[in-house]
Amino acid sequence: MLQLGSQIAQFNFGSGGSECAKCQSPQPTKTLQDFLLHARQLAGLKKEHVFCNLRIPNQFQTAKDDINIVIITGQGIFCIDLKCWRGTVSAQNQNWHVQVKEQDQNFTNTCIEQVEDALKAITTKTANLCHHLKKSGVSVRQNLFFSRVVFLSPDCELDEELKKRKELVSHGQIDAFLGSFREGYMAWISDALTPSWLSGHLSYKQMEAVREVLRRVGTWDVVRLHCGEQLRGDYQGCQYIALNRQETDTLEFSRGKSLSAYSLWALLGHTPQVTVKMYKRGAHGWLGKPLSATTTIPSNTNVIFRIGGEETDAKIPANTIHSITLSI
């Protein structure tokens, strides 16, 4: 899994939002990475208490949904989804609507998009996390799990009904919300000396047990292309590459020759080759991460990758890939 400060934090976390709700705002909207740094500074959260983009299996083990942020404190386990929507958000039956008004000199254009009920989604994912912990041997009372949706844009406004929901945190409430995680010295002493069944808080032993389980929860695999684009999803495999995901965390693809020489070999009828270096998971030496294996494959070999949100696998030519980072 990836914790605070990891590169996965650069990805778009507003999935399920509308195009008009995501369009350029005149005021800057925080990114996930900005939010995490702000949370650490304001709430004094330790790195080991914050987990990002955890993909939790549902209770039937048929699919996984990612939770943007999980924060573990003595108060409980907070499951947080972040939204960078802008406009007016309202609840309509089983879905939500995001209404954005674009003002021009002569007219006003109104865009209304239907999006998923973000509160229902994070509540379901929180219940799935509770079930996953219990299945992993860590039992935490259900009332110690808290679902929250945080709206990062100052241009996002909740309608009157949604404003009543304590689970929804608007832009103006972010600092107060993060400040609630700060624990004073006396609270720390109290939690250390009072049994969890009496205090109603998580014990240190429970918190460590939860962290241990979450460290083993996967996030997304990441494909970095030579053009600079990054894709997140699930690595499905490659015809010429055999690896153990538990032992390998990075695959590095190298064409070995300059682009002009590479193209010349192809014109002469030779099949250019790509060298793939596989690096050991979690291991670091004086000279960098140690290799676990190296192989050479034809450059036109396809890497099978299921991009997040897609229903079919993508075939990505090996010669377009810079590297692949594998989750647990």
Side-chain angles (χ1 to χ4, degrees):
M1 52 69 51
L2 292 171
Q3 287 184 275
L4 180 62
S6 68
Q7 54 207 355
I8 200 78
Q10 300 173 16
F11 293 127
N12 176 23
F13 43 81
S15 59
S18 62
E19 288 304 314
C20 75
K22 296 178 191 175
C23 57
Q24 189 69 30
S25 168
Q27 300 186 53
T29 299
K30 291 180 184 292
T31 64
L32 173 56
Q33 195 170 33
D34 292 335
F35 180 84
L36 290 172
L37 292 175
H38 187 55
R40 286 199 66 190
Q41 293 169 356
L42 190 62
L45 295 171
K46 296 181 179 179
K47 181 178 179 180
E48 59 269 23
H49 294 166
V50 183
F51 295 81
C52 305
N53 292 316
L54 296 182
R55 298 181 67 198
I56 306 299
N58 62 25
Q59 298 185 30
F60 304 102
Q61 304 293 309
T62 57
K64 294 181 179 181
D65 285 317
D66 61 320
I67 303 174
N68 292 152
I69 301 174
V70 175
I71 297 177
I72 304 169
T73 73
Q75 303 172 47
I77 300 170
F78 288 79
C79 299
I80 304 169
D81 270 352
L82 305 180
K83 299 297 179 183
C84 59
W85 301 340
R86 71 182 187 92
T88 302
V89 183
S90 60
Q92 303 290 336
N93 298 323
Q94 302 299 314
N95 297 296
W96 286 3
H97 285 178
V98 181
Q99 177 178 300
V100 179
K101 291 184 178 180
E102 295 291 345
Q103 300 256 344
D104 202 346
Q105 291 182 347
N106 301 319
F107 61 90
T108 299
N109 181 37
T110 301
C111 171
I112 299 178
E113 292 287 342
Q114 182 174 284
V115 297
E116 71 171 347
D117 183 331
L119 180 54
K120 181 180 178 181
I122 188 60
T123 301
T124 300
K125 290 185 283 188
T126 301
N128 289 339
L129 176 58
C130 179
H131 180 267
H132 179 72
L133 288 172
K134 186 177 296 184
K135 186 178 178 181
S136 302
V138 180
S139 182
V140 177
R141 294 198 308 274
Q142 194 168 356
N143 65 348
L144 290 177
F145 287 85
F146 303 95
S147 303
R148 296 291 185 268
V149 180
V150 177
F151 299 90
L152 299 182
S153 173
D155 298 316
C156 183
E157 182 178 353
L158 304 180
D159 73 0
E160 293 304 319
E161 288 302 314
L162 293 182
K163 284 180 180 178
K164 298 175 183 177
R165 302 303 301 263
K166 65 180 180 180
E167 301 92 342
L168 306 181
V169 181
S170 65
H171 177 268
Q173 299 170 321
I174 290 178
D175 284 1
F177 170 62
L178 294 177
S180 68
F181 291 113
R182 184 176 291 278
E183 295 181 343
Y185 180 74
M186 292 307 297
W188 181 82
I189 290 293
S190 175
D191 283 348
L193 299 177
T194 308
S196 60
W197 59 267
L198 188 58
S199 68
H201 291 180
L202 284 175
S203 68
Y204 288 169
K205 185 177 180 180
Q206 282 179 307
M207 291 172 65
E208 180 53 38
V210 171
R211 287 196 294 267
E212 184 59 34
V213 172
L214 296 188
R215 292 186 190 108
R216 300 195 299 268
V217 172
T219 59
W220 296 95
D221 299 331
V222 184
V223 171
R224 293 173 178 80
L225 305 178
H226 285 295
C227 66
E229 186 178 357
Q230 297 186 18
L231 306 173
R232 69 174 186 173
D234 294 306
Y235 170 77
Q236 304 291 351
C238 178
Q239 180 181 359
Y240 300 102
I241 299 176
L243 59 84
N244 184 333
R245 181 182 284 266
Q246 300 301 318
E247 299 176 358
T248 305
D249 69 358
T250 305
L251 285 74
E252 188 177 273
F253 292 67
S254 174
R255 293 184 290 210
K257 300 181 177 65
S258 66
L259 185 59
S260 58
Y262 185 87
S263 301
L264 180 60
W265 274 88
L267 289 173
L268 293 175
H270 297 280
T271 301
Q273 302 290 301
V274 170
T275 300
V276 182
K277 297 179 180 179
M278 289 166 267
Y279 294 90
K280 292 182 179 179
R281 179 176 297 282
H284 292 275
W286 287 101
L287 301 178
K289 293 179 69 66
L291 282 169
S292 60
T294 301
T295 187
T296 302
I297 65 176
S299 64
N300 58 0
T301 301
N302 286 323
V303 171
I304 310 302
F305 192 79
R306 176 68 64 88
I307 299 173
E310 299 293 330
E311 296 182 356
T312 57
D313 292 334
K315 296 180 179 180
I316 306 175
N319 63 347
T320 66
I321 299 174
H322 176 270
S323 64
I324 300 176
T325 301
L326 300 174
S327 174
I328 293 295

